[in-house]
Amino acid sequence: MADIRSNFLGIQSPNPFWLASAPPTDKEINVTRAFEAGWGGVVWKTLGEDPPVVNVNGPRYSTLMSQDRRVIGLNNIELITDRPLHTNLEEIKRVKRNWPDRAMIVSLMVPCEEQSWKNILPLVEDTGADGIELNFGCPHGMSERGMGAAVGQVPEYIQMVTAWCKHYSKLPVIVKLTPNITDVRHPARAAKAGGADAVSLINTINSIMGVDLDRMVMSPSTDGWGSHGGYCGPAVKPIALNMVAEIARDAQTAGLPISGIGGITTWRDAAEYIALGCGTVQVCTAAMVYGFKIVQDMCDGLSNFMDEHGYATLDDFKGQAVPTVKDWKNLNLNHIEKAVINQDACIQCGRCHVVCEDTSHQAITFTKEGGVRKFEINEAECVGCNLCVSICPVPECITMRALEPGEVDVRTGKTVTGEYANWTTHPNNPQRVSAAA
């Protein structure tokens, strides 16, 4: 049986699944229910100074739905906790005392002033919490007050505040990064320079979910007005995975522990984050859509996956996919693939033909004999783009075949050599000499 216990910065938890700092972790009753359901840890909803912030008393969420009414994106305009600081601290202390084997991380956001951080850190330490997460990512409301993403978008501020926290607290410091930035490596480097023990990412993305065209009002709205919010859910996962990979493979941040966040709904999502270097994963939207017990499926699925692949612990596959992520210039331009259609599996829907004919390379032919439709790959036109595989509704009906050395690519007439060559050495690159050097 695979061991899915997590040891992140010395913080032990029975599994790597933590609830992210969000509405599900705002109260003792919620967190207790989460632990009863099996979550390995929580990041308590962001604490701030008293008096507490004020949230809108109305719609805070809006969703992006798939055609089958599944939530694939969630927009949120809720701010940090709107409960008094002492109330949160007392509840954190009780929960940690009652659940000593679970990870308890406290998210923090106070003004970008040294005294404010100096004041709140010992209060959090007194709760017995295992660590703190600095919320440098909130994209709405708080950023307009000079906190959240307003700090996370300035590497110098990240380094400065992180250094304050390391100076005034003995707890591990996790810096939560905003995706609302051009290059996530710069804030990650700043966090490391400030002494951060880890980073977590991504926080939510600036978004407006839609417009009510009958009322001509953005959605959601409060008394006829709306504001941009934070976007999360399954649809942000590709963005998050890219940012996680950038930090994991950057020479200046490689080895920096990462807690992955963004669209994690299944065990497979979690395994992908771990394969790209994450030690834990944080979940919010999936819990808000399906309830806390979803963690049981996540744990079972991850354990079964590890058993099937012979991974005894999380460390056995953590980061294994990182070396496969490269800059485009390093991709092998001598590697050739062609699409292959399994005629026995094909349902003759024609989607592959339509998209290839209209938007790609006219490499899928269509014939009809005796009322039977047939679609075939024309290798003389196929560039191996994978579009047909991506849109085919039948799994494994269309696959890709790599040409072996010695085969001729009928599209170009060239023989496949099997030798590696990339853009830095390509004859079409006017800078190939300097690039190769």
Side-chain angles (χ1 to χ4, degrees):
M1 190 85 177
D3 182 358
I4 64 170
R5 289 178 298 176
S6 170
N7 182 351
F8 188 73
L9 308 179
I11 302 169
Q12 308 284 339
S13 58
N15 60 66
F17 298 102
W18 295 359
L19 282 173
S21 171
T25 63
D26 189 32
K27 296 184 180 70
E28 179 178 8
I29 186 172
N30 298 80
V31 174
T32 298
R33 286 173 176 168
F35 285 160
E36 289 172 345
W39 289 89
V42 301
V43 183
W44 198 276
K45 186 172 173 67
T46 305
L47 309 185
E49 294 180 323
D50 283 329
V53 303
V54 177
N55 275 295
V56 296
N57 296 303
R60 303 180 187 182
Y61 309 113
S62 184
T63 56
L64 178 66
M65 297 282 196
S66 65
Q67 291 182 336
D68 60 356
R69 296 289 294 172
R70 287 183 300 111
V71 174
I72 58 177
L74 178 72
N75 174 282
N76 168 27
I77 64 168
E78 183 166 306
L79 305 183
I80 67 175
T81 182
D82 55 10
R83 301 190 307 144
L85 178 59
H86 76 274
T87 300
N88 280 290
L89 293 172
E90 287 299 315
E91 291 184 5
I92 292 168
K93 184 182 295 185
R94 280 198 299 270
V95 174
K96 183 58 185 177
R97 183 174 61 242
N98 293 334
W99 297 87
D101 67 325
R102 307 303 170 92
M104 173 64 75
I105 312 298
V106 177
S107 177
L108 296 175
M109 180 191 294
V110 295
C112 200
E113 300 168 356
E114 185 173 2
Q115 189 62 44
S116 294
W117 289 96
K118 183 179 180 180
N119 291 342
I120 199 170
L121 288 168
L123 302 178
V124 175
E125 282 196 21
D126 286 345
T127 66
D130 298 302
I132 57 174
E133 183 180 79
L134 311 186
N135 185 347
F136 294 155
C138 191
H140 57 278
M142 306 311 298
S143 60
E144 292 146 7
R145 306 180 190 191
M147 295 179 280
V151 177
Q153 291 167 341
V154 185
E156 293 81 5
Y157 291 173
I158 293 175
Q159 181 175 342
M160 177 177 68
V161 177
T162 303
W164 290 341
C165 292
K166 290 299 296 180
H167 179 71
Y168 292 114
S169 176
K170 297 178 182 178
L171 294 176
V173 175
I174 304 169
V175 175
K176 190 172 187 179
L177 302 178
T178 176
N180 302 299
I181 195 165
T182 304
D183 189 338
V184 75
R185 294 175 299 178
H186 296 301
R189 292 168 184 170
K192 184 177 180 180
D197 297 286
V199 292
S200 59
L201 69 157
I202 61 174
N203 208 310
T204 52
I205 303 170
N206 278 327
S207 64
I208 291 178
M209 292 299 280
V211 174
D212 182 333
L213 294 177
D214 293 321
R215 299 170 57 216
M216 284 298 168
V217 175
M218 70 159 284
S219 177
S221 63
T222 299
D223 195 25
W225 292 358
S227 177
H228 72 279
Y231 185 57
C232 54
V236 311
K237 175 187 158 190
I239 299 169
L241 286 176
N242 172 64
M243 292 188 171
V244 164
E246 287 297 284
I247 293 172
R249 72 189 187 98
D250 179 50
Q252 296 185 44
T253 55
L256 181 65
I258 302 173
S259 184
I261 313 170
I264 298 164
T265 307
T266 68
W267 69 264
R268 184 178 295 275
D269 297 327
E272 291 179 19
Y273 274 89
I274 295 169
L276 285 174
C278 294
T280 64
V281 292
Q282 297 184 31
V283 179
C284 171
T285 304
M288 295 182 72
V289 173
Y290 300 109
F292 284 150
K293 289 185 178 180
I294 191 175
V295 72
Q296 297 165 12
D297 290 336
M298 292 178 171
C299 288
D300 289 343
L302 181 61
S303 179
N304 291 337
F305 160 77
M306 291 171 63
D307 284 340
E308 291 171 5
H309 289 78
Y311 300 131
T313 69
L314 297 175
D315 286 337
D316 289 345
F317 75 99
K318 186 177 74 173
Q320 280 199 13
V322 174
T324 69
V325 183
K326 301 291 184 183
D327 292 340
W328 190 95
K329 67 181 181 181
N330 294 317
L331 300 182
N332 185 5
L333 299 182
N334 283 346
H335 180 80
I336 308 296
E337 293 191 20
K338 301 290 181 180
V340 179
I341 299 176
N342 181 343
Q343 298 297 334
D344 293 333
C346 180
I347 60 174
Q348 295 89 45
C349 68
R351 290 183 60 189
C352 61
H353 168 71
V354 170
V355 297
C356 187
E357 190 72 18
D358 285 355
T359 69
S360 197
H361 296 277
Q362 297 77 52
I364 299 180
T365 62
F366 166 50
T367 57
K368 189 173 184 180
E369 297 180 7
V372 178
R373 292 149 54 96
K374 187 173 184 180
F375 302 93
E376 296 180 294
I377 301 298
N378 175 11
E379 291 197 357
E381 300 295 339
C382 180
V383 302
C385 71
N386 201 45
L387 176 62
C388 55
V389 177
S390 301
I391 61 90
C392 179
V394 181
E396 303 299 319
C397 176
I398 307 179
T399 55
M400 301 300 295
R401 179 182 75 88
L403 270 59
E404 298 292 334
E407 287 191 71
V408 175
D409 179 359
V410 295
R411 186 177 72 87
T412 63
K414 296 180 180 179
T415 301
V416 176
T417 65
E419 298 176 355
Y420 168 80
N422 60 40
W423 176 243
T424 68
T425 61
H426 198 281
N428 288 12
N429 182 0
Q431 298 177 320
R432 62 186 179 279
V433 175
S434 59

